[in-house]
Amino acid sequence: MKKFKRLIFIDDREADNYYNKYIVDNANLCESYLFFDKVKNAIQYFKKNTLKPNFIIPDLIFLDLVMPEMDCWDFLKEYATLPKMKTKIIILTTSENPNDIKKINANTLIHGYVKKPLSEGYLKSWLKNS
Amino acid sequence: MGLFSLDGTIEELNKPILENVPKIKHIDFNIKLWDLPLSEGFKKFVKQSFKACLKKVLNGEVYQSTAKYALNEQEDVYLEIVFSPVFNENKKVFKVLGEARNITEQINSKNLIENSEKRFKALFYNAENLIVRLSPDGRVIAHSKIQIGASNYNQVKKYLGKNIWELSGVFKNKKTQTQLKQDVEKAAKGNLVSGVIFSKGTNYTSLQFAYTLKPIFNDNQTVEWILGEVKDITEYVKTQYQLLENEKKFRAIFYNSENYIARLDVKGIVLEHSRVNKENPNFRTVKQYIGKPLWEFSGILEYPKSVAKLKKDIKACAAGKVVSNQIEAYIYKLGNDFEYKTGLLFYSLKPVFNKNKKVEWILAEAKDITELEKAKNELTISLDKYQKLFENNLVGILTVDENFKLIECNNAYEKITGYSQKDAIGFNYFKIIDDEEIQEAKLNEQKIKNSKVKSLQFKRTFNKKNGDKIYVHIYFKPIYYKNKFKSAVVTIADITELENKRKALKQSEELYKAVFEGVNDGLYVYNVKKNELVTLNKKLLKVAKVKSKSQFLKEAYQMYIPFLKGKNKHKINWIKKIEERLKQQKIAKFDYSFVRKNGVLIDISTSTIKLSDELSLTAVTDVTETKKAQNALLESEIRYRSLFENNVTGLALGNKYGQLLQVNEALCNMFGYSKEEMLQLKHQHLAVKGKYDLSYLYFKDMIEGKVEKISITKQFIKKSGEIFYAIINVSGIYNEQNQFLYNITSILDISELKHLEHELKEKQIELADKVVELEKYIESNLELENFAFIASHDLKSPTQTIINFSNLLAQKAAGKLDEQEQHFLKFIIEGSNRLQNTIRDLLNFSLANNNTLNIEKINLKHLINDIVKDLNSVIIKNKATIKIEELPHYNWVDKGLYKGLFLNLISNAIKFQKKGSQAIVTITCKKKQTGFLFAVKDNGIGIPKKSQHKIFGIFKRLHNLSEYEGTGIGLALCKKVVEKHKGKIWIESAKGKGATFYFTLPINLMKDV
């Protein structure tokens, strides 16, 4: 079966990260993954590594919506400054706030959004469709 | 013998008469018998005898008469006269034969025998001594009746016929018996013997007797009997001994006396004298005076007056008088040099008599009394002075003895204290002063007794006899004699009045000083008579804009004291002007202007008052600014007046008691009162006092300066009783010291407005459709709030269920789970706990959002202390320090909300710290004009500027949960609470430099709630 080359998760919550990791590990659908609990750290990673030859372009970035210090919108602002990649950004959130959803839909950088919790089925369906 | 005719004429006198009476030798015989030149007494006697004899003689009888008369000056003569008749031839008596015989010898011898017999008997029987007649062999023939009353008198009688040595008291002692026997034998042989024997007296006391045995011879020169005389000499011997002792003592005194003592004979010749002044170089020469008269002593001889006095006194003394006197003399003084000085010598002369009561010699004693006399004079003077002082003094004087007991006191003492001398004698003078001060008095007593104290002075209260308290000054002067405290003179003066006056004086002086220096005017005092400046105050220097007095006198005096040092004419004019004014008015006021060097026009106003004939006080005020201000004020006054009077709004000027001082027409019209009626009223009379009307609290705050302006909508009542709504604006007017002076109140009748409000509402309903959207929004907002409230309530219990069971699972299944499974469980527990926290905070937040505020009077210090207690475990865990600085005594707040506010701020301050560092949280409050400014400061990680705007938003967090726990509601709640209380909250911070949260709490919160 086809596998993701790399998945990136950006979420401040330790419990969510742990859960996501467990799902991904269990599903065995991914060659490598990175977890960031702070937007700042993720941006730093990209800025440092995107131009490096051995940089693995992530297939998907799962981005949490509400985060302290810098949130998803802050990330997206910075992400826009990076070299363009085929990477898809998916908002992974608990929020059902219609305003948020409106905003998500309006943002061209975002590919889509999925409600927590992340499921193995979602990842599989993504691989199937692509 | 003589022959006399019957008429007494002498016819013949015999030879013996002529011999015995020498003056009759050449007698003319034709004289009468009683005309003989004999003594008058005798003549009288003869004449009487002759006339008496005639009766007998004419009858032929013989007349005999005896008379004693003085024959000459020395001795009396006894004469016997016998007249016999001589018959003629006719046996008739024709002549008288007179015969005179001297019978003096006869009478004398007869008297002698009679007397000696009597005398002997008296002597014999009444003699003090025992007298006995003894036969030559020693037997008692007779003895005197001694001790008739004595018990042994009868026994003594029995001794007659017994031997003298057998008398009781004698016979018992053999030695005495032998001695007496031998002596009687000696006497019997014709010797006069005397001796002493010891015997026992009637009381068996030891007595000493002296006896003499005298042989009495008969005509044959043999001893017929012996006269024995025994004398008790016990006392005599004793006296003799004493005399000897006295003599010794006398000698000792005589030679060792400090005074000069001399023994003089009756003529004043020195027989012996005491050894005065051994150190006297003239001591040897003094010796030489023995045998010379006393007045020839050197030192006396130089003063003729003294010599004369001494001579006279010695003479008087020789006559038996005791004399004492004082004379001037050169007196030797002991000292570094041997010198003589004129001094006073006191002497006394005592006659010493011998047994015959004749002056035998004179005892002279002399003493140098120069110093004594001086001292005496001084003493007399001082005594006199003292007496006068003592009695006439206005100051109470008393003397006390060594035990501090009052001996005497003067009248003034009684006047002052009310205690008479009778009351006060025996008082301890200290005790009478004040019971409370006895302790101190005792200390003083000790001090005085233990050491020499020159004097003590003190002031204290004194209880008068009638109980009044007075203030007295006491001067205690102890008197020491030979280093021992003997007595003291104490003066006591009533200084109550004085003290009061002194206090008053001091006060008035201080007052004067305070006024002189404290007034805002420049002042100077000028002596008109002497034409000189007496003094000036510092303000005057300020007014004149100079730094020192000397600079003032150099540069500025001409402007401010124009007549000082000015030209004479100028000066006189000024002073005259002022004096003339002062005659008419109490204060002479002058205003004048001058141009300062820098060209500025200065206006000066002076006021002068007369202090005395010489002194005048002038106040100088620089009125330049005032004048300007006056003009400005006048303008503004006019403007204000028209504004006040013509304003359509009701205006009133009131004082802090709520009294209306000024009102305008609009106000009067509004309430329906006249202006006069209005001014009688107070604020309170115009307002309808509602149940929750707290406006008086704001007014109080305004008076205290906490609030400058109040704006309230209230109900008021018109004169007619009609009630209306009005907006009232009150503004405080304060002076420079921020003290409340007046308040200006403007009242706007908004009944109309209220009416319009109703109309508006109606129109609003009409417009409702157009604002549906808005209403919906508001509704949804309200729903949201309600939802949060309800949801958080409903969420509470299921959350609790999750927590409970996951905890139970963790306890029960822990052993069975692998590491990953345990991790899962951990997340469940953490998550559900967090959920619970979030629900709690959310609930609080929605409560804060609730419209009803429950305002109470809260002591914030207590509130914060409670919070600190709640946070105790956290504080200890983080080693945090909470400092609570000065907070207001109370605030009007919602207790629950403020607790949440402080709880969140303090726990945040503790929480947001770098790991390992200790939090220091400081809570302060400052009072501002509009309210209180609180600050909660920490030394934590701080918040970067760019994130600061986010922090008060709900669910806004700046950190990951793994770094700092939190729900993101705390600060949002804080903001809500502060804003609910009409305050503002903000933060001042920088990353890493701590954070300070500020929030305000308005003072006039009440009115809007």
Side-chain angles (χ1 to χ4, degrees):
Chain A
M1 193 166 173
K2 217 176 160 185
K3 275 190 182 180
F4 294 107
K5 279 236 159 106
R6 168 156 285 182
L7 293 178
I8 284 179
F9 290 86
I10 303 172
D11 197 319
D12 65 311
R13 284 175 187 261
E14 193 195 349
D16 288 355
N17 284 335
Y18 192 94
Y19 181 85
N20 292 339
K21 207 172 178 181
Y22 178 82
I23 296 296
V24 173
D25 281 346
N26 238 22
N28 197 17
L29 292 167
C30 160
E31 286 173 11
S32 69
Y33 48 69
L34 286 173
F35 282 84
F36 293 99
D37 65 352
K38 278 185 180 173
V39 170
K40 200 167 75 181
N41 296 349
I43 288 167
Q44 244 170 26
Y45 165 80
F46 284 118
K47 281 190 175 170
K48 262 190 182 174
N49 295 299
T50 37
L51 292 177
K52 284 185 180 169
N54 55 351
F55 178 70
I56 302 167
I57 298 165
D59 300 301
L60 299 172
I61 295 173
F62 287 101
L63 184 60
D64 191 13
L65 188 69
V66 183
M67 284 179 285
E69 215 174 353
M70 293 173 91
D71 56 11
C72 87
W73 310 112
D74 295 320
F75 175 80
L76 290 171
K77 262 184 218 164
E78 296 292 329
Y79 186 81
T81 63
L82 295 172
K84 279 193 177 172
M85 296 180 287
K86 59 164 187 174
T87 310
K88 303 276 191 293
I89 292 173
I90 293 157
I91 302 295
L92 182 62
T93 180
T94 45
S95 173
E96 288 179 41
N97 191 330
N99 284 345
D100 288 340
I101 292 162
K102 256 187 203 170
K103 247 178 149 182
I104 290 166
N105 289 335
N107 196 308
T108 50
L109 285 172
I110 298 167
H111 184 269
Y113 85 96
V114 62
K115 267 195 243 174
K116 282 180 183 176
L118 183 69
S119 64
E120 199 182 319
Y122 180 79
L123 293 174
K124 273 183 180 168
S125 68
W126 189 273
L127 283 173
K128 247 184 212 169
N129 296 336
S130 62
Chain B
M1 271 166 84
L3 192 66
F4 312 100
S5 61
L6 287 176
D7 61 357
T9 311
I10 299 166
E11 296 198 341
E12 240 177 284
L13 283 174
N14 75 343
K15 243 185 175 176
I17 289 187
L18 292 173
E19 278 168 14
N20 278 338
V21 188
K23 285 173 188 172
I24 326 178
K25 272 174 187 170
H26 312 287
I27 271 183
D28 176 0
F29 284 96
N30 286 321
I31 58 163
K32 303 243 162 124
L33 173 60
W34 45 84
D35 290 332
L36 281 169
L38 298 165
S39 67
E40 287 297 315
F42 192 60
K43 279 187 198 170
K44 214 176 170 186
F45 165 65
V46 171
K47 198 179 178 181
Q48 277 172 355
S49 302
F50 192 80
K51 278 185 178 171
C53 86
L54 279 179
K55 283 180 188 171
K56 278 196 170 182
V57 170
L58 286 175
N59 291 332
E61 288 170 41
V62 174
Y63 175 85
Q64 199 178 337
S65 175
T66 311
K68 189 175 122 182
Y69 71 97
L71 193 64
N72 56 41
E73 281 174 359
Q74 261 105 49
E75 50 187 325
D76 291 343
V77 178
Y78 288 92
L79 281 182
E80 192 183 48
I81 297 170
V82 181
F83 291 106
S84 315
V86 179
F87 302 91
N88 60 8
E89 300 95 25
N90 303 330
K91 300 244 178 195
K92 271 195 176 176
V93 178
F94 79 106
K95 274 180 184 143
V96 178
L97 182 70
E99 201 177 352
R101 268 181 290 163
N102 190 339
I103 56 163
T104 310
E105 285 294 317
Q106 243 178 310
I107 287 176
N108 274 357
S109 64
K110 199 177 152 194
N111 281 348
L112 203 66
I113 293 163
E114 268 176 22
N115 283 350
S116 79
E117 180 72 15
K118 265 186 208 166
R119 241 185 281 153
F120 170 74
K121 284 208 172 160
L123 219 65
F124 190 80
Y125 289 106
N126 297 320
E128 272 185 36
N129 303 333
L130 175 70
I131 300 173
V132 287
R133 234 174 106 188
L134 304 176
S135 65
D137 57 355
R139 267 172 300 135
V140 178
I141 300 164
H143 60 70
S144 63
K145 294 180 280 181
I146 50 161
Q147 295 170 326
I148 290 174
S151 56
N152 59 350
Y153 172 60
N154 289 332
Q155 287 178 341
V156 174
K157 251 186 155 182
K158 291 174 192 168
Y159 288 115
L160 289 177
K162 280 187 182 174
N163 284 319
I164 181 84
W165 51 84
E166 284 175 34
L167 258 70
S168 84
V170 177
F171 72 92
K172 276 180 187 169
N173 192 327
K174 279 195 176 168
K175 204 179 161 190
T176 312
Q177 277 185 331
T178 321
Q179 190 192 331
L180 213 53
K181 219 175 177 178
Q182 283 171 359
D183 282 346
V184 170
E185 278 169 17
K186 273 184 199 169
K189 283 174 187 166
N191 297 315
L192 179 70
V193 190
S194 63
V196 172
I197 50 166
F198 293 92
S199 172
K200 288 266 161 42
T202 49
N203 299 331
Y204 299 97
T205 50
S206 184
L207 298 175
Q208 214 170 348
F209 293 100
Y211 63 87
T212 53
L213 298 170
K214 203 178 175 182
I216 308 289
F217 299 93
N218 60 11
D219 294 341
N220 304 329
Q221 293 298 315
T222 53
V223 175
E224 199 177 313
W225 53 275
I226 298 163
L227 181 70
E229 192 171 356
V230 183
K231 193 178 182 181
D232 180 353
I233 57 162
T234 319
E235 285 303 310
Y236 174 75
V237 170
K238 261 190 212 164
T239 324
Q240 282 295 314
Y241 272 115
Q242 247 164 25
L243 213 61
L244 204 68
E245 285 294 306
N246 286 346
E247 178 72 14
K248 273 184 197 167
K249 273 185 210 162
F250 166 75
R251 289 278 147 195
I253 293 167
F254 190 84
Y255 284 105
N256 299 318
S257 168
E258 271 186 38
N259 300 334
Y260 174 79
I261 300 174
R263 215 153 68 88
L264 313 174
D265 71 4
V266 288
K267 284 174 182 169
I269 309 293
V270 175
L271 299 174
E272 58 179 324
H273 60 68
S274 65
R275 292 168 286 177
V276 284
N277 291 345
K278 283 179 191 171
E279 295 86 350
N280 187 342
N282 290 351
F283 174 58
R284 284 194 191 102
T285 59
V286 170
K287 257 187 159 177
Q288 295 166 5
Y289 286 112
I290 291 177
K292 285 185 184 174
L294 189 62
W295 55 82
E296 280 181 18
F297 269 46
S298 80
I300 300 174
L301 202 58
E302 288 86 342
Y303 291 88
K305 272 188 189 170
S306 302
V307 171
K309 259 190 192 173
L310 195 55
K311 271 184 181 173
K312 197 181 143 199
D313 287 341
I314 288 171
K315 213 175 175 181
C317 185
K321 273 188 185 169
V322 177
V323 191
S324 60
N325 214 333
Q326 55 192 52
I327 50 169
E328 277 190 317
Y330 274 126
I331 288 168
Y332 164 75
K333 285 215 191 284
L334 278 180
N336 293 333
D337 310 313
F338 298 116
E339 54 168 337
Y340 284 90
K341 274 186 177 170
T342 305
L344 270 179
L345 205 62
F346 172 85
Y347 62 81
S348 71
L349 302 169
K350 274 182 202 162
V352 177
F353 297 92
N354 63 7
K355 281 176 192 171
N356 302 328
K357 307 228 161 169
K358 276 192 174 174
V359 177
E360 198 173 306
W361 52 276
I362 294 166
L363 181 69
E365 191 168 357
K367 194 176 184 180
D368 172 10
I369 54 156
T370 320
E371 292 303 314
L372 197 72
E373 200 60 21
K374 246 190 233 169
K376 211 170 94 182
N377 280 339
E378 277 166 21
L379 192 71
T380 320
I381 294 166
S382 73
L383 211 70
D384 195 37
K385 272 190 204 162
Y386 164 76
Q387 204 62 27
K388 274 182 194 161
L389 207 70
F390 194 79
E391 279 316 321
N392 303 325
N393 214 312
L394 287 173
V395 175
I397 303 176
L398 52 137
T399 53
V400 296
D401 64 10
E402 62 216 13
N403 297 318
F404 299 95
K405 296 260 194 276
L406 192 141
I407 303 167
E408 56 174 340
C409 59
N410 68 349
N411 294 338
Y413 178 82
E414 187 181 346
K415 265 185 200 166
I416 292 168
T417 65
Y419 290 103
S420 70
Q421 177 153 321
K422 213 170 145 194
D423 295 330
I425 277 181
F427 272 159
N428 179 327
Y429 107 94
F430 280 123
K431 267 178 197 155
I432 202 170
I433 281 164
D434 200 329
D435 287 348
E436 291 162 23
E437 284 158 346
I438 284 181
Q439 205 57 34
E440 195 196 328
K442 281 197 173 161
L443 282 177
N444 277 337
E445 283 185 15
Q446 284 298 322
K447 207 168 137 194
I448 290 159
K449 282 201 166 179
N450 292 344
S451 62
K452 272 202 163 186
V453 178
K454 272 193 174 178
S455 66
L456 283 179
Q457 282 189 64
F458 40 89
K459 291 173 185 173
R460 56 172 42 159
T461 49
F462 184 94
N463 291 326
K464 282 176 76 162
K465 193 181 180 185
N466 62 7
D468 285 355
K469 281 209 172 190
I470 53 171
Y471 204 63
V472 294
H473 177 272
I474 289 185
Y475 179 83
F476 187 93
K477 174 78 189 167
I479 297 166
Y480 294 89
Y481 178 69
K482 291 192 174 168
N483 284 333
K484 266 193 160 180
F485 172 68
K486 277 284 159 196
S487 70
V489 177
V490 186
T491 65
I492 174 168
D494 183 354
I495 52 163
T496 316
E497 193 93 335
L498 200 72
E499 197 67 11
N500 289 343
K501 274 186 186 164
R502 203 175 59 79
K503 272 181 197 163
L505 191 71
K506 207 177 164 192
Q507 266 179 358
S508 76
E509 203 179 277
E510 271 166 13
L511 197 70
Y512 155 76
K513 267 188 195 164
V515 170
F516 195 73
E517 288 300 336
V519 291
N520 270 324
D521 297 334
L523 294 178
Y524 62 84
V525 177
Y526 190 78
N527 190 322
V528 186
K529 293 251 164 83
K530 288 184 184 169
N531 278 332
E532 62 184 26
L533 184 69
V534 179
T535 181
L536 53 86
N537 72 350
K538 283 175 189 164
K539 281 277 158 62
L540 185 61
L541 305 182
K542 228 175 182 181
V543 170
K545 288 177 182 159
V546 293
K547 280 173 189 168
S548 64
K549 197 177 165 183
S550 57
Q551 196 191 348
F552 177 83
L553 292 174
K554 231 184 211 174
E555 298 170 8
Y557 76 90
Q558 279 177 327
M559 277 77 103
Y560 296 93
I561 314 176
F563 48 87
L564 182 69
K565 290 185 189 174
K567 281 175 194 169
N568 264 347
K569 201 179 159 191
H570 186 59
K571 183 196 262 179
I572 290 161
N573 283 345
W574 259 101
I575 294 168
K576 264 189 182 173
K577 259 189 189 173
I578 292 170
E579 281 197 337
E580 272 167 28
R581 281 273 179 98
L582 283 173
K583 273 177 197 165
Q584 295 155 356
Q585 294 158 317
K586 276 194 175 174
I587 303 172
K589 282 193 175 177
F590 284 99
D591 290 350
Y592 59 92
S593 312
F594 64 87
V595 180
R596 222 190 262 280
K597 271 182 190 171
N598 57 11
V600 178
L601 182 79
I602 302 290
D603 288 306
I604 293 293
S605 171
T606 67
S607 310
T608 305
I609 57 165
K610 220 173 176 178
L611 294 179
S612 69
D613 283 349
E614 289 189 10
L615 301 179
S616 68
L617 173 74
T618 306
V620 181
T621 323
D622 185 335
V623 290
T624 318
E625 290 304 315
T626 324
K627 272 206 169 172
K628 268 187 210 165
Q630 263 174 358
N631 290 336
L633 199 68
L634 206 65
E635 262 176 57
S636 85
E637 173 78 14
I638 293 163
R639 244 182 283 149
Y640 157 78
R641 277 268 154 214
S642 64
L643 203 68
F644 188 85
E645 289 301 339
N646 303 322
N647 208 307
V648 281
T649 320
L651 291 175
L653 188 71
N655 64 10
K656 63 177 174 181
Y657 306 109
Q659 278 168 334
L660 301 175
L661 304 174
Q662 234 174 328
V663 289
N664 71 351
E665 237 178 83
L667 192 74
C668 295
N669 293 339
M670 192 185 293
F671 283 90
Y673 290 106
S674 74
K675 222 174 198 177
E676 288 71 29
E677 285 172 328
M678 204 76 177
L679 290 176
Q680 300 294 319
L681 298 172
K682 287 188 175 183
H683 259 285
Q684 297 92 291
H685 298 125
L686 301 174
V688 175
K689 204 176 175 196
K691 205 174 178 185
Y692 305 104
D693 185 6
L694 298 173
S695 58
Y696 68 94
L697 274 180
Y698 309 141
F699 191 55
K700 207 177 142 209
D701 281 349
M702 172 178 278
I703 290 167
E704 285 167 9
K706 289 176 189 166
V707 185
E708 275 187 351
K709 271 187 182 174
I710 309 171
S711 180
I712 332 169
T713 304
K714 275 180 77 167
Q715 282 186 318
F716 289 88
I717 184 160
K718 292 186 182 181
K719 192 183 179 183
S720 60
E722 190 188 326
I723 289 171
F724 66 100
Y725 272 96
I727 295 175
I728 172 167
N729 278 307
V730 188
S731 307
I733 298 170
Y734 302 88
N735 65 7
E736 282 170 2
Q737 283 80 42
N738 255 336
Q739 284 166 324
F740 177 84
L741 294 177
Y742 305 108
N743 62 309
I744 289 181
T745 309
S746 67
I747 303 177
L748 190 68
D749 187 348
I750 52 162
S751 313
E752 285 287 310
L753 217 61
K754 282 263 165 183
H755 184 68
L756 285 173
E757 211 175 80
H758 276 285
E759 280 181 22
L760 198 66
K761 263 188 187 165
E762 276 165 32
K763 277 178 186 169
Q764 268 175 344
I765 293 163
E766 286 169 28
L767 286 168
D769 291 341
K770 290 176 185 176
V771 289
V772 165
E773 226 173 304
L774 183 71
E775 280 203 341
K776 267 188 182 171
Y777 174 73
I778 293 166
E779 242 169 71
S780 71
N781 232 9
L782 276 173
E783 272 171 19
L784 195 68
E785 278 173 10
N786 284 336
F787 169 76
F789 186 75
I790 293 157
S792 44
H793 256 292
D794 291 352
L795 284 171
K796 252 183 159 180
S797 51
T799 315
Q800 197 56 51
T801 313
I802 296 169
I803 289 168
N804 291 346
F805 285 99
S806 49
N807 277 337
L808 281 176
L809 191 64
Q811 282 168 25
K812 279 228 160 188
K816 297 173 197 163
L817 300 176
D818 66 18
E819 200 186 329
Q820 207 169 40
E821 289 162 347
Q822 279 182 14
H823 240 93
F824 296 164
L825 198 56
K826 186 191 120 196
F827 282 121
I828 294 169
I829 292 168
E830 277 179 8
S832 47
N833 276 332
R834 203 172 297 133
L835 179 61
Q836 199 178 36
N837 288 343
T838 310
I839 292 165
R840 181 199 64 211
D841 287 355
L842 208 58
L843 195 63
N844 284 336
F845 183 74
S846 50
L847 278 173
N849 226 356
N850 196 321
N851 270 334
T852 51
L853 260 189
N854 184 20
I855 298 290
E856 297 173 73
K857 193 175 170 184
I858 298 294
N859 186 326
L860 283 183
K861 203 157 194 168
H862 292 173
L863 186 84
I864 294 171
N865 280 333
D866 288 345
I867 293 166
V868 171
K869 263 182 219 162
D870 291 348
L871 290 172
N872 197 27
S873 58
V874 184
I875 289 170
I876 290 169
K877 194 176 149 198
N878 292 284
K879 291 176 185 170
T881 313
I882 315 287
K883 292 181 189 169
I884 305 164
E885 290 183 358
E886 204 53 43
L887 293 177
H889 289 306
Y890 66 89
N891 290 87
W892 291 89
V893 294
D894 182 308
K895 189 179 176 182
L897 294 187
Y898 251 67
K899 189 168 181 177
L901 169 64
F902 276 107
L903 180 71
N904 274 296
L905 290 177
I906 295 168
S907 53
N908 276 355
I910 297 169
K911 185 161 70 182
F912 292 104
Q913 288 285 334
K914 271 179 213 158
K915 273 189 182 164
S917 65
Q918 298 174 1
I920 299 167
V921 185
T922 314
I923 300 159
T924 57
C925 176
K926 275 181 193 168
K927 200 176 163 193
K928 301 272 169 181
Q929 226 166 30
T930 51
F932 300 100
L933 173 65
F934 291 91
V936 180
K937 190 184 173 188
D938 65 55
N939 58 340
I941 53 171
I943 298 165
K945 285 257 151 64
K946 61 173 182 178
S947 308
Q948 283 176 8
H949 69 278
K950 289 191 213 166
I951 57 171
F952 293 107
I954 193 161
F955 301 123
K956 289 288 179 212
R957 307 188 66 261
L958 294 182
H959 304 278
N960 284 10
L961 285 170
S962 52
E963 290 170 342
Y964 297 104
E965 260 297 335
T967 58
I969 302 170
L971 283 176
L973 174 77
C974 290
K975 188 169 188 249
K976 204 85 198 171
V977 172
V978 170
E979 283 171 357
K980 273 277 175 184
H981 285 80
K982 305 287 175 194
K984 279 178 185 168
I985 187 164
W986 69 94
I987 182 179
E988 277 177 18
S989 176
K991 199 182 174 184
K993 287 184 178 175
T996 307
F997 283 88
Y998 291 98
F999 64 92
T1000 58
L1001 176 65
I1003 268 173
N1004 56 353
L1005 166 74
M1006 300 301 294
K1007 67 176 180 188
D1008 297 319
V1009 178

